[in-house]
Amino acid sequence: INRLDQQIQFILEIDKLKSVLRRTTLINEARRENSAEHSWHIALMAVLLIEHANQAIDLPRVVKMLLIHDIVEIDAGDTFAYSGVSKIDQSAKERIAAERLFSLLPDDQAVELRALWEEFEAMQTPEANFANAVDRLMPVLHNYHNSGGTWRESIVTLEKVITRVSPIGEGSAALWEFTQTILADAVNRGLITR
């Protein structure tokens, strides 16, 4: 199989990400968001919000990271952040998925994209921290602007939300401050249980 055939095979395979539904509903509450939409949205968020990163970062690296970070959900599915599913079990499923999906690519691209996926998961670089910041901010914006969305539906407490989204501060102090303001107002409006 030649290089172009491998690339086309991967492109066709990742179309399946459009069918992976997340628990988050769109801001207009018309339907649930799919993982491909989520990846596009946060990649564009990174482009727009890069000036708020804690330090200088490589934006193209962040955008690539965000575009591929949820590809593993094609095989592993999307896990609701507040579901209580074991992070160890989900991580194992995602690693198996990463192995299969990235192996469809030519070796050099497989290595590059797998490394970006691993970097995002590890949250050890400025780029990964900023990528994780926008990844965690978007569901906050959705829930805040759609009457509490999954927070209300699943009776999620403020403590659980803060635990989930506090890594935003590692990528952007400004976005973390903004998030805390939103969360305080969400509590006041009854969108999150205290």
Side-chain angles (χ1 to χ4, degrees):
I1 188 165
N2 70 35
R3 183 177 180 86
L4 179 58
D5 288 340
Q6 286 179 290
Q7 292 164 329
I8 296 296
Q9 182 181 0
F10 180 79
I11 289 166
L12 294 174
E13 186 67 14
I14 63 172
D15 185 72
K16 293 176 181 174
L17 196 61
K18 298 172 188 174
S19 298
V20 177
L21 292 180
R22 298 166 52 83
R23 290 281 300 274
T24 306
T25 57
L26 302 178
I27 290 172
N28 70 8
E29 301 182 53
R31 63 176 172 79
R32 288 168 55 189
E33 172 185 50
N34 71 51
S35 287
E37 292 169 318
H38 166 73
S39 297
W40 160 80
H41 207 172
I42 62 175
L44 189 52
M45 280 179 69
V47 170
L48 297 172
L49 301 177
I50 188 167
E51 67 194 66
H52 303 290
N54 285 342
Q55 53 194 308
I57 58 170
D58 178 348
L59 181 60
R61 184 175 191 80
V62 170
V63 170
K64 281 185 189 179
M65 212 179 284
L66 291 170
L67 290 173
I68 60 98
H69 83 288
D70 277 339
I71 281 178
V72 295
E73 292 179 3
I74 290 169
D75 291 353
D78 177 58
T79 302
F80 179 50
Y82 307 105
S83 68
V85 169
S86 163
K87 290 190 186 299
I88 295 169
D89 292 344
Q90 186 62 19
S91 179
K93 281 192 229 175
E94 289 178 355
R95 291 197 174 285
I96 292 167
E99 188 61 37
R100 182 187 81 79
L101 291 162
F102 294 125
S103 73
L104 298 173
L105 286 163
D107 290 343
D108 61 319
Q109 290 179 323
V111 167
E112 177 193 7
L113 295 187
R114 176 68 187 259
L116 286 169
W117 180 77
E118 296 281 357
E119 181 180 345
F120 177 87
E121 292 295 312
M123 295 192 309
Q124 298 293 317
T125 64
E127 286 77 14
N129 287 334
F130 187 70
N132 271 276
V134 295
D135 182 45
R136 290 168 195 246
L137 176 57
M138 193 66 238
V140 170
L141 295 174
H142 273 113
N143 286 321
Y144 182 74
H145 290 282
N146 68 16
S147 308
T150 55
W151 293 335
R152 292 185 76 186
E153 180 184 297
S154 301
I155 312 170
V156 178
T157 64
L158 177 62
E159 180 182 359
K160 285 184 179 179
V161 174
I162 288 174
T163 298
R164 172 71 183 151
V165 302
S166 63
I168 291 171
E170 297 297 318
S172 171
L175 294 180
W176 177 234
E177 184 178 333
F178 172 75
T179 301
Q180 289 176 300
T181 301
I182 284 180
L183 295 178
D185 190 52
V187 169
N188 290 337
R189 291 174 46 205
L191 303 179
I192 303 175
T193 306
R194 189 176 288 276

